[in-house]
Amino acid sequence: MTANPPTLRIAERFVSVQGEGILAGVPSSFVRLTGCNLRCSWCDSPESSWRPTGEPQSLDEIVRWCRDGPRHVVVTGGEPLLSPYVGALTKALWDNDHHITVETAGTLDQPDLVCDLMSLSPKLAHSTPAAPASLAQRHERSRWQPDVVLALMRFPWQLKFVVRADADAALRRDVAEIDTMLEALGDPDPQRVLLMPECIDPAALTERYQRISALCCTRGFRLGPRLHITAFGHTPGT
Ligand code: SF4
């Protein structure tokens, strides 16, 4: 009997420039897996978490599609590390000489992963949804797993925190929480720690960038851009 070829459930795939993190501006193929073990209240890709959509696609077909695109590939979600075949996908992309970024909330690990950049985005308390209670409790239990984050930092890494920057007090509260999290990680290099505004409204970004950049200048963190919001608005496939 022939075994079925490995498949991954894909919400969307597209070519665009990376909008976030230290590789912002780099043309990249995005492979967004559907499904997430968290339920952030402000999730900006609900089609891969709250309302998961997507069809199974074979690993070979995804690799073939990436081969015709940019060298940089971003494996994202949802939570891509939920898929049992994400390690095999990254290995196949690696064998095709791609530069691989894995974007994860840092709550799960897989032993066979490979990547050039592990983009970790642990979620702060403000991400916990108000309801339904069962999901809120699961989210709150799962969202911060320092041992998993530390294990994933075996790869070159960035830490990308989504912060509330609509008011000074909210930003101060989020940064105090980040300080506690960074302490649990052994106070890693702040230049690889990015603070990114929770915001999908291009018109509101400038003020939030200004608030965050003032703080970054005193603390040594980086301002995390959201180029795709500035350029395209909150639009799937960008
Ligand atoms: S971890 Fe990411 S995909 Fe999952 S609910 Fe939070 S923002 Fe959405």
Side-chain angles (χ1 to χ4, degrees), residues 118 120 148-157 159 185 188:
M118 181 59 69
L120 293 152
V148 178
V149 173
L150 278 169
L152 291 169
M153 288 167 79
R154 66 185 178 275
F155 300 104
W157 55 271
L159 275 164
L185 300 177

Side-chain angles (χ1 to χ4, degrees), residues 39 50 128-141:
R39 290 293 183 275
W50 287 93
T128 302
S134 58
L135 284 180
Q137 284 161 10
R138 191 185 76 183
H139 180 97
E140 190 53 31
R141 266 198 316 272

